[in-house]
Amino acid sequence: MYRKNLLRISTAVFVGLGVAHAEDTVKLGMVAELSGAGAPAGTNWRDGIKIAVEEINAEGGILGKKIELGEYDTQTDPQVSRALVQKAIDEGAYAILGTIYSGSTMVNMLVAQQNGTPQFVGSESPSIVQKGNPFVFRTSSGSQKGIPALTSYFTGTIKAKKVAVAWVNNEFGKGGHDVFTQEMKKAGIEIVADVPSEQGQADYAADIAKLKQAGPDAVFVYMNQEESARFLIEAKKQSLPMPLVGEVTLTEAKVVELAGSAADGAIAHVGLTASATDVPGIGAFDKKFEETFKRKPTHDAIKGYIGAWTTKYVTEMVGELDGEAFAEKMHGLCLKAADYPKILLDTCWDEHGEMSRPSFMVQVKNGSPVVIGTVPAN
């Protein structure tokens, strides 16, 4: 009897300690593509979040509670991502950070919505914020906001009369393709070649040959990182003569690393870039990331960082760990970098979770992405 009572007392003590520990922490679920085709994006997203969590905890955490970060690898599989978002929530996640690939987010964001759990995503397909989900928020603008910023580049700088589009046939690629073709139609620019490719495609010889034969004034390239690098390598091999212009990924650090000198000359409109070192917060983040991980951060790393810091800022505005109150606060919210420095740039979210902030034009020169212009928030 004594042993049974002692066991009960011991169990109660440990359970009590567990509850106390849980009450002293805020759990965040980092759900991302840590393996598979999306690994370059997902690992950067994760590492940007890690830096943010370290900084936030050093400043006392969220509402005085330290962040406990759970990592969940989706393997770049939409159905796995759905299961892992549910697992993270079941394990006590107050908010979800991820996913990156739009195809996965389209599948898993309903789980977060059903549980009333705020979710910051790196996905940029327009459809993400068109579903009426009040709990999903972007960490960068969707393609329906980013790509139109390129129109003046095609009409004014290049003075293009005819263009081609090379795009990856997934949720991300379809969204960008549709917005781009609509923008070109409105601008009176003819699309002379429309060349889709598959996610994970290794050989772009036939694609480049089609583009070369079509003879456009410029090619819009809208692919994920590894595919963008392979495309650029083949374009150099076949001496594709016209400008290659992209949105988001074409000029980022991972693409440049993989493509080498083949990336030189590529131009892109980007929401975020570590090359914008004139922005104090971005310069500091770039330095810390490189010191920590011995590589340059991509835009996904900065997006993850911003997602984690926004979670802290908004939760402390609300004053409690309440997902519904958090989501309500986010809609129509604007954060100024002067007041919330870790947001890096003045940023607003609309009633759909879409974000707006200044952005950049970047060109790869001598193996490095260089900021060649800025674009006002739209």
Side-chain angles (χ1 to χ4, degrees):
M1 180 65 71
Y2 172 77
R3 287 181 179 176
K4 288 182 179 178
N5 288 337
L6 182 61
L7 180 60
R8 287 172 184 156
I9 293 169
S10 299
T11 301
V13 168
F14 283 120
V15 168
L17 288 172
V19 170
H21 174 70
E23 291 176 348
D24 290 338
T25 62
V26 176
K27 290 188 176 182
L28 300 182
M30 193 289 302
V31 184
E33 300 81 350
L34 305 181
S35 62
T43 53
N44 272 278
W45 171 266
R46 175 198 63 194
D47 293 345
I49 291 170
K50 282 185 173 182
I51 288 180
V53 168
E54 181 183 330
E55 291 177 351
I56 293 167
N57 283 342
E59 293 188 12
I62 297 175
L63 297 174
K65 303 173 188 290
K66 294 295 180 72
I67 294 174
E68 183 179 326
L69 185 66
E71 293 186 21
Y72 304 85
D73 177 15
T74 72
Q75 304 166 45
T76 319
D77 184 312
Q79 294 306 320
V80 171
S81 80
R82 179 186 178 93
L84 290 180
V85 167
Q86 185 64 64
K87 182 178 180 183
I89 293 169
D90 290 345
E91 292 178 351
Y94 158 65
I96 299 294
L97 302 172
T99 44
I100 310 297
Y101 272 36
S102 297
S104 290
T105 299
M106 287 293 291
V107 172
N108 65 53
M109 69 180 186
L110 181 60
V111 176
Q113 179 182 4
Q114 289 170 338
N115 286 274
T117 303
Q119 180 178 12
F120 284 98
V121 302
S123 311
E124 299 186 359
S125 171
S127 53
I128 300 297
V129 295
Q130 293 170 350
K131 298 293 184 181
N133 183 339
F135 290 92
V136 68
F137 305 98
R138 290 206 207 266
T139 53
S140 61
S141 297
S143 57
Q144 84 280 11
K145 291 176 71 71
I147 289 175
L150 275 171
T151 302
S152 61
Y153 190 82
F154 281 96
T155 58
T157 304
I158 299 176
K159 294 182 170 39
K161 301 297 182 186
K162 53 183 182 177
V163 298
V165 53
W167 54 287
V168 60
N169 188 19
N170 59 16
E171 191 70 33
F172 164 76
K174 290 173 186 174
H177 166 272
D178 292 349
V179 173
F180 180 76
T181 54
Q182 290 164 13
E183 285 295 309
M184 292 300 99
K185 183 177 180 180
K186 286 191 290 186
I189 298 175
E190 181 186 3
I191 294 180
V192 294
D194 191 326
V195 183
S197 56
E198 295 307 311
Q199 184 173 306
Q201 183 169 313
D203 185 357
Y204 286 87
D207 302 62
I208 298 298
K210 289 178 185 176
L211 295 167
K212 196 171 184 179
Q213 184 177 14
D217 298 321
V219 179
F220 177 66
V221 184
Y222 200 72
M223 301 175 182
N224 299 116
Q225 292 144 317
E226 292 188 355
E227 292 87 347
S228 292
R230 294 178 194 132
F231 180 92
L232 289 171
I233 291 168
E234 185 61 35
K236 182 179 181 182
K237 182 179 178 181
Q238 293 194 34
S239 301
L240 195 65
M242 66 285 298
L244 303 178
V245 184
E247 161 74 14
V248 184
T249 57
L250 190 62
T251 59
E252 74 169 28
K254 186 63 180 179
V255 175
V256 175
E257 175 192 330
L258 293 171
S261 62
D264 280 352
I267 295 169
H269 170 254
V270 299
L272 291 164
T273 175
S275 302
T277 51
D278 288 346
V279 178
I282 292 178
F285 173 81
D286 176 59
K287 182 179 179 182
K288 182 177 289 187
F289 189 97
E290 196 163 1
E291 287 175 350
T292 304
F293 299 107
K294 313 305 178 189
R295 69 179 192 276
K296 297 289 289 183
T298 69
H299 74 291
D300 288 309
I302 307 174
K303 290 194 293 186
Y305 180 83
I306 289 170
W309 269 102
T310 303
T311 303
K312 172 183 168 64
Y313 287 144
V314 178
T315 301
E316 294 188 340
M317 289 178 186
V318 172
E320 59 181 326
L321 300 175
D322 183 325
E324 290 191 7
F326 183 103
E328 185 176 345
K329 186 69 176 178
M330 280 291 299
H331 293 119
L333 178 69
C334 289
L335 298 178
K336 289 189 172 296
D339 301 321
Y340 302 94
K342 302 298 185 176
I343 207 73
L344 305 181
L345 294 161
D346 292 353
T347 304
C348 296
W349 287 266
D350 68 13
E351 67 274 17
H352 305 295
E354 182 62 85
M355 74 149 30
S356 178
R357 66 173 167 229
S359 53
F360 307 92
M361 291 296 296
V362 170
Q363 184 172 22
V364 181
K365 299 181 179 181
N366 299 318
S368 297
V370 177
V371 174
I372 60 173
T374 57
V375 180
N378 62 345

